[in-house]
Amino acid sequence: MTIKTLQIPTADGQADAFAAIPDRGEQHPGVLMYADGFGIRPVLREMAQELAGHGYYVLVPNLFYRHGPAPVIELPEYIGAEARPAVLAQLMPLIEAHTAERTLSDADAYLRFLTAQPEVGAGPVGVTGYCIGGLLATRTAAAHPGQVAALAAFHGPVGADGPDSLAKITAEVQFGHAESDLTPEALGELNQALDAAGVRYTSEIYPGTVHGFTMPDTDAFDPAALRRHWDHLIPLLDRTLTTR
């Protein structure tokens, strides 16, 4: 496994990023991974390495590069109930400044960079994201229907842009929702919008989970839900990204 530190040219400057790359010298399908609102940190590197171990080139950009290199704020090793309010107070202005327009501009740059890497094979790519990164992944898939073949989002506000925002998605979709984030009624409305868009999808609530359930460095972590997330994500990518 190789970890590369990278700089991605964007319309607004340079986004720092890293890539996790399988050691085998051949080309691999590309996956763009959007971090959660806490950003790049050891847990994200571990998740990217886990995914790369299944044969994928995984690119993880710093979502908040306009405000500085990652980590943009100082994070505790463990984000528990005591630390969370102060951390979120610093991060929310950055999240709110990351508009839909910035998301789409950055997505263009990230995908252009990803597909130009010599270790990435020709063919479609996947996008996956966590928390706010799930929304960014969904926006990316909707904006690049001919290029993104797999979309996965976990405990993310994927329906925040309204049902019409899903209409352009052609990727196969995997949404894993936290029970604390979505009511069964809201899930039904989201899935109706996916049905109307003709999307092939799985969209379900992970029972007993709270927002952030995939992240081991937070008090939201649920080990069983993280395993379930991998059990859905890897087969999705294996089905849809054919370049090996």
Side-chain angles (χ1 to χ4, degrees):
M1 185 70 57
T2 300
I3 298 290
K4 280 188 179 180
T5 301
L6 301 164
Q7 294 287 327
I8 303 175
T10 75
D12 292 330
Q14 296 276 328
D16 54 303
F18 75 90
I21 309 166
D23 282 335
R24 301 192 301 273
E26 69 224 46
Q27 292 184 317
H28 309 279
V31 177
L32 174 59
M33 177 183 283
Y34 286 107
D36 62 353
F38 296 128
I40 292 176
R41 58 198 193 281
V43 163
L44 265 295
R45 290 184 174 85
E46 292 166 7
M47 295 182 79
Q49 288 178 282
E50 173 74 20
L51 187 53
H54 291 270
Y56 297 95
Y57 180 111
V58 184
L59 178 66
V60 186
N62 171 19
L63 308 181
F64 307 126
Y65 69 88
R66 293 175 180 85
H67 305 275
V72 179
I73 70 166
E74 186 175 348
L75 291 170
E77 290 186 10
Y78 182 76
I79 306 168
E82 291 187 6
R84 186 180 292 270
V87 170
L88 290 178
Q90 295 177 78
L91 285 172
M92 285 310 297
L94 279 60
I95 293 171
E96 291 168 356
H98 199 73
T99 61
E101 290 75 18
R102 285 183 170 182
T103 298
L104 296 181
S105 175
D106 288 348
D108 290 346
Y110 299 156
L111 292 178
R112 186 164 55 246
F113 183 91
L114 174 62
T115 55
Q117 297 313 294
E119 302 94 340
V120 176
V125 301
V127 292
T128 183
Y130 305 88
C131 178
I132 187 64
L135 175 59
L136 306 188
T138 302
R139 287 172 172 169
T140 300
H144 296 269
Q147 188 172 19
V148 176
L151 163 62
F154 301 91
H155 50 84
V158 294
D161 293 336
D164 291 345
S165 67
L166 306 173
K168 294 182 179 179
I169 293 174
T170 58
E172 184 176 342
V173 171
Q174 177 69 52
F175 288 157
H177 311 285
E179 190 172 67
S180 67
D181 285 344
L182 210 63
T183 65
E185 292 76 19
L187 176 67
E189 292 174 3
L190 173 64
N191 291 353
Q192 284 178 8
L194 291 168
D195 286 333
V199 174
R200 183 182 177 191
Y201 72 93
T202 299
S203 173
E204 59 188 352
I205 293 171
Y206 286 18
T209 56
V210 297
H211 183 76
F213 59 76
T214 59
M215 298 296 160
D217 62 348
T218 77
D219 56 359
F221 180 53
D222 184 319
L226 176 62
R227 287 195 299 273
R228 183 173 180 172
H229 140 278
W230 288 122
D231 288 345
H232 284 91
L233 177 58
I234 302 302
L236 168 69
L237 298 176
D238 288 347
R239 283 194 302 272
T240 56
L241 307 185
T242 56
T243 302
R244 288 290 181 180

